[in-house]
């Protein structure tokens, strides 16, 4: 029995995978474009508020839930050909400041990548850089794990914002 335990632990140590945060196995930058529906822009809107909480709760959109199907580009230009779509939702979840919680899937449809990345986490909007978790993927990103660092790249009132997404994958198969 002792021999089995020792040989099993030696096997696990020899074949264990160590993650090196300074060296991701795949890294790329994409831009997320969100155009919130405002009654007059139905043709161009890529997201919509699906809940209307009373404003008496907070001045920071507390309780607002937004569903989106946003274009993802390799550059900052909204009219560039999308390489993926971000499909999911975010909700404002703080009463004292702007803060959102995201859950979405990047659905890739380009010649460079095929598959999905699932991302979720808190977007503390007041911070310059915010990290969300990559919790899985399919296709070229099968079982991926990593971090997406958001930084706000542009804001135009309440109707449009662009996020720079620095995607770092630490588990790639």
């Amino acid at each position: 029995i002792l021999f089995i335990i020792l040989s099993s632990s030696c096997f696990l140590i020899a074949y264990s995978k160590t993650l090196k945060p300074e060296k991701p196995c795949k890294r790329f930058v994409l831009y997320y474009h969100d155009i919130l529906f405002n009654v007059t822009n139905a043709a161009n809107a890529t997201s919509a508020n699906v809940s209307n909480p009373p404003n008496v709760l907070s001045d920071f959109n507390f309780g607002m839930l937004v569903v989106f199907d946003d274009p993802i580009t390799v550059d900052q230009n909204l009219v560039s050909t999308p390489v993926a779509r971000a499909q999911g939702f975010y909700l404002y979840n703080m009463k004292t400041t702007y803060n959102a919680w995201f859950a979405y899937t990047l659905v890739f449809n380009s010649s460079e990548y095929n598959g999905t990345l699932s991302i979720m986490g808190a977007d503390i909007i007041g911070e310059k850089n915010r990290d969300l978790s990559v919790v899985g993927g399919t296709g070229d990103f099968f079982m991926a794990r990593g971090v997406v660092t958001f930084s706000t790249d542009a804001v135009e009132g309440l109707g449009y914002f662009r996020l720079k997404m620095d995607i770092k994958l630490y588990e790639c198969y």
Side-chain angles (χ1 to χ4, degrees), residues 49-172:
N49 175 0
V50 296
S51 68
N52 255 339
N55 287 339
V56 296
L57 290 176
S58 166
D59 291 333
F60 301 100
N61 295 336
F62 177 73
M64 184 172 145
L65 173 65
V66 176
V67 176
F68 58 85
D69 180 16
D70 290 332
I72 304 298
T73 62
V74 295
D75 60 23
Q76 297 168 316
N77 192 342
L78 172 62
V79 296
S80 292
T81 302
V83 295
R85 303 290 301 184
Q87 299 171 332
F89 66 90
Y90 57 89
L91 55 96
Y92 290 94
N93 61 348
M94 283 189 75
K95 292 172 86 173
T96 57
T97 188
Y98 285 106
N99 189 63
W101 192 84
F102 276 79
Y104 66 100
T105 300
L106 287 178
V107 180
F108 288 87
N109 56 358
S110 68
S111 58
E112 188 172 354
Y113 294 116
N114 200 354
T116 66
L117 279 175
S118 298
I119 299 164
M120 64 175 41
D123 179 11
I124 304 165
I125 297 168
E127 298 290 323
K128 181 178 179 181
N129 296 309
R130 296 89 69 190
D131 289 334
L132 283 74
S133 300
V134 175
V135 296
T138 64
D140 293 340
F141 306 103
F142 176 74
M143 300 283 290
R145 302 285 186 274
V147 174
V148 175
T149 302
F150 276 1
S151 56
T152 303
D153 194 57
V155 176
E156 295 177 13
L158 297 175
Y160 173 79
F161 67 86
R162 180 178 58 235
L163 298 174
K164 178 181 177 185
M165 298 188 304
D166 184 5
I167 300 170
K168 299 170 286 288
L169 303 178
Y170 296 99
E171 286 189 40
C172 305

Side-chain angles (χ1 to χ4, degrees), residues 26-47:
K26 189 174 291 213
R27 184 174 187 173
F28 49 99
V29 173
L30 298 172
Y31 291 87
Y32 171 110
H33 304 268
D34 186 83
I35 303 169
L36 188 60
F37 174 68
N38 68 6
V39 181
T40 64
N41 67 345
N44 295 326
T46 61
S47 63

